[in-house]
Amino acid sequence: MGIFWDLIQQSEIEEQCEKADDLEEKVNSLEKELYETKKLLRKTLLILENHLGKDIDGDGKLG
């Protein structure tokens, strides 16, 4: 019975490792998406401030 228990435990360990890898990939993907979103937001803010001639983000300067 001990060998079956070992096989079950090994299987569960492998499942947890796969889940951890999937989670790490998801986190990396979300971090990249957040970076790209912030980059686009900065560009949009720059264009909007220049177009309106107003300091929208409160940093004390236009663009």
Side-chain angles (χ1 to χ4, degrees):
M1 190 68 176
I3 193 165
F4 291 115
W5 180 249
D6 290 343
L7 288 172
I8 291 171
Q9 285 182 323
Q10 186 61 35
S11 176
E12 289 178 4
I13 289 170
E14 288 173 3
E15 282 182 36
Q16 289 302 316
C17 286
E18 288 175 9
K19 286 180 183 177
D21 290 342
D22 288 344
L23 183 58
E24 187 174 334
E25 288 175 20
K26 288 177 185 176
V27 168
N28 287 336
S29 176
L30 287 171
E31 286 176 340
K32 182 179 178 185
E33 186 178 342
L34 177 61
Y35 172 79
E36 294 298 327
T37 301
K38 284 181 171 182
K39 195 165 106 176
L40 177 62
L41 182 58
R42 279 188 224 111
K43 285 181 181 180
T44 305
L45 183 61
L46 175 79
I47 292 168
L48 188 59
E49 282 189 347
N50 286 329
H51 178 73
L52 295 177
K54 292 183 179 181
D55 176 25
I56 296 172
D57 62 359
D59 66 354
K61 57 185 176 182
L62 294 179

